[in-house]
Amino acid sequence: MDISIGDRIRSLREFRDVTQEQLAERAGVHVDTIRKLEQGIRESARINTLRSLARALDVQLERLVGQPTVTQELSDDGGLLALRDAIQDIGSLPGVLSATNLEDPPDEAAWVDSVKAATSLYWEGEYSALSGTLPLLLRDGQAVARETDTEEVWRQLALAYQLAASLSTQAGHPDWAFAAVEKQLAAAQRASDPLMEGMGVSTLSWVLLRQGRWEQAQAVAEQKADSLEPSIRRATPAQYAVYGNLLIAAATPAARSGDREGAQELLNFAETAATRSGSVRVYGSAFSVTDVRTQQVNCALAGQDNEPAEALRLSARVDLDAITRPVHAASYRVDVAQAQYQTGDCGGALTTLLEVEEAQPEWIRFQTLAASTVREMLEAERRRNAPLRSLAARLGVDPAL
């Protein structure tokens, strides 16, 4: 039997011994919303409402909505638990006696190529395949680093841990992600690479955001951006890219917490940096004017007083063909679908989501925002919509409302 969001809310609320009225006050939502969710009259609520409820209940959003796993195929050496074990490597803890590593490390060049291939899997949305290969990649990287101890190897190991943090977050395990970021930052220090450290802090900000630690997510990203602010005359594209990514990372939690003006200011600075850098692919990520503009759309949808009409206006400035990472394009289009639905264009929202599913059939199945938008659309449908209900079933959203 499937457990509904309302069941989870009621269970968590009762565990914390608070009434519906007290939870409503803590979350800043109407008590009627909570009552209807718990009674099953409503199957879901807007994503910002769910975020507020999760925060008030002191749980991660993924726990509240029941996010599915990214693992579709099981492998002998991979999977999410193997990834956890590779991140939380017991043998690396001080004072712990570990078994002697009897295997020879792989060839350094071949391992570096594997990191590049894994990065491509992540940005193509092939998370199930990545979860099958990433644990071994991390273990091999540790072995290569022990053998060669070069700055380039440590830089690549930092990128591998960045992938581990990102995949763990997508899979609904931000605690594992936090541990992976720790390893990423430590490897960046061994690489003597301040820009790699900057990307690590950008990743950390995203992890903190997913943990609901908005103020900290903004603070760490802003502080690191200030320390890496590039010289206008002498800066390299890579310096602008890392600086800009940190500004974007800071803008998102600012918007979530209601500081829309502050978020826009950060994104304006990021767009200026992107204009100077041009399109850059560096440190396992990408940066361009288009990347900044997609985040402007995202921030317009953030917070309780979101502005879907403004999000659609801003989307007109985004060149979809210029988005170089398939997952980024899909994420942006899910934002557009939410804005379309919230402005009354249910048909346009469904078309957009179906197009995203066609392009990213694996990725979309565990995207909280996509599922939440579909739930809202199901509740609002005036007559049975077969394509919508089919999409809901594929996303694990119960269409039997």
Side-chain angles (χ1 to χ4, degrees), residues 14 52 67 69 149 152 179 238 243 250 262 267 363:
E14 291 176 348
S52 297
Q67 183 185 45
T69 178
D149 195 24
E152 179 57 25
Y243 173 69
L267 290 173
W363 174 89

Side-chain angles (χ1 to χ4, degrees), residues 97-351:
L97 298 177
S98 60
T100 303
N101 188 357
L102 300 178
E103 296 184 9
D104 292 329
D107 175 74
E108 179 181 336
W111 178 75
V112 169
D113 287 342
S114 296
V115 176
K116 294 177 181 177
T119 302
S120 295
L121 283 177
Y122 180 80
W123 289 118
E124 288 165 6
E126 301 289 341
Y127 294 164
S128 184
L130 180 59
S131 71
T133 60
L134 189 52
L136 182 59
L137 183 69
L138 292 175
R139 292 195 293 269
D140 282 348
Q142 293 161 357
V144 172
R146 284 193 299 267
E147 182 77 13
T148 61
D149 195 24
T150 65
E151 289 186 351
E152 179 57 25
V153 166
W154 284 108
R155 184 177 296 109
Q156 294 299 320
L157 187 56
L159 288 173
Y161 277 115
Q162 180 171 293
L163 287 174
S166 300
L167 183 62
S168 297
T169 304
Q170 291 283 9
H173 297 288
D175 295 337
W176 305 357
F178 191 94
V181 172
E182 286 186 284
K183 299 285 184 73
Q184 178 186 355
L185 291 170
Q189 284 194 332
R190 294 290 295 268
S192 301
D193 191 336
L195 294 182
M196 186 71 247
E197 285 186 32
M199 285 305 299
V201 173
S202 178
T203 307
L204 172 62
S205 177
W206 182 45
V207 173
L208 292 171
L209 180 74
R210 294 292 288 266
Q211 290 180 328
R213 299 160 69 178
W214 298 344
E215 296 82 2
Q216 291 171 304
Q218 181 179 348
V220 296
E222 277 199 80
Q223 289 165 5
K224 196 65 174 179
D226 289 344
S227 72
L228 293 176
E229 186 170 357
S231 165
I232 293 177
R233 290 194 299 118
R234 293 185 294 273
T236 65
Q239 288 174 314
Y240 278 123
V242 173
Y243 173 69
N245 270 305
L246 284 163
L247 293 175
I248 289 173
T252 305
R256 292 270 176 90
S257 61
D259 184 10
R260 199 170 303 282
E261 184 177 339
Q264 188 55 56
E265 182 179 27
L266 289 164
L267 290 173
N268 287 341
F269 282 123
E271 187 164 357
T272 299
T275 301
R276 291 184 176 278
S277 70
S279 182
V280 185
R281 293 180 73 94
V282 66
Y283 293 107
S285 189
F287 183 65
S288 68
V289 169
T290 299
D291 292 308
V292 178
R293 289 178 176 176
T294 60
Q295 200 60 29
Q296 290 172 338
V297 173
N298 179 270
C299 286
L301 292 168
Q304 287 295 322
D305 299 323
N306 62 340
E307 300 176 313
E310 175 66 6
L312 290 179
R313 186 190 71 80
L314 291 168
S315 71
R317 303 172 67 232
V318 176
D319 180 2
L320 187 60
D321 293 334
I323 302 177
T324 58
R325 298 165 292 173
V327 163
H328 183 195
S331 180
Y332 159 71
R333 298 205 72 201
V334 169
D335 283 341
V336 170
Q338 185 191 28
Q340 288 172 318
Y341 169 70
Q342 291 187 6
T343 54
D345 184 9
C346 296
L350 178 58
T351 297

Side-chain angles (χ1 to χ4, degrees), residues 341 346 349-350 353 372-381 388:
Y341 169 70
C346 296
L350 178 58
L353 288 171
S372 295
T373 302
V374 168
R375 283 191 185 96
E376 290 183 51
M377 292 168 67
L378 278 172
E379 288 194 344
E381 70 173 344
L388 173 61

